[in-house]
Amino acid sequence: MLMYWSVGLLALIALGAVLYYGAIVGGLYKDSMMANFREYGEEHKVYPLVRLALALGAFCLLLAFLLTGVVLRTSASALAVFCFVSAYAISRVDWLRTIMPRWYFSMLHESNRQERRAIAYAWLRLPFRTRLRLNGDGYAFRVFVDEIRLTVIYGARDPDDPWAAWQ
């Protein structure tokens, strides 16, 4: 009985990981991806689609232990194997890794390192409710990114600053 509870707890944790990486891949949660842009040093790319496939495979494998019936266990085990194989295939093929999330890879291709850092720090300064709004609305997020990029490219100037004429 203790084994079923422990496997059930592990399955619940794996389901949480599936939901977390699903929200990242779907573009509904951008905080963890924006944190990568704030780091100093060499920028490393993150591929959450691989992690989503691995988490889904682990969830299906743990679910296969909990299910009763030959057909359900076989189906869950086959789905787990499919998820693990697809994670391996996604990690080996470059264009598959860069499919999702679209906003992340379009930002990597359209902006330089300095602009991405400024976007990440501006994201950090946003209130929580504004970040929630921008997480769900792709168009509003795109406008936010373009505004920050324009600020970085042209510089932020205060029109009411009396000393601006002397700079």
Side-chain angles (χ1 to χ4, degrees), residues 32-100:
S32 61
M33 300 291 278
M34 286 292 204
N36 291 329
F37 293 140
R38 290 193 307 258
E39 295 177 0
Y40 288 105
E42 187 177 330
E43 187 175 42
H44 66 281
K45 296 177 184 162
V46 179
Y47 304 107
L49 191 59
V50 176
R51 293 181 180 176
L52 174 66
L54 287 174
L56 187 60
F59 175 70
C60 290
L61 190 63
L62 291 169
L63 198 61
F65 286 121
L66 294 176
L67 293 175
T68 58
V70 175
V71 175
L72 291 175
R73 281 188 179 194
T74 308
S75 301
S77 300
L79 188 58
V81 169
F82 175 75
C83 290
F84 289 135
V85 169
S86 65
Y88 179 76
I90 291 170
S91 68
R92 296 292 177 215
V93 181
D94 188 40
W95 68 271
L96 282 175
R97 284 185 300 196
T98 60
I99 287 177
M100 300 298 261

Side-chain angles (χ1 to χ4, degrees), residues 98-116:
T98 60
I99 287 177
M100 300 298 261
R102 287 302 328 149
W103 68 269
Y104 177 74
F105 292 105
S106 66
M107 191 183 301
L108 282 176
H109 294 296
E110 295 172 2
S111 61
N112 60 23
R113 176 81 169 127
Q114 179 187 5
E115 293 169 350
R116 288 191 296 270

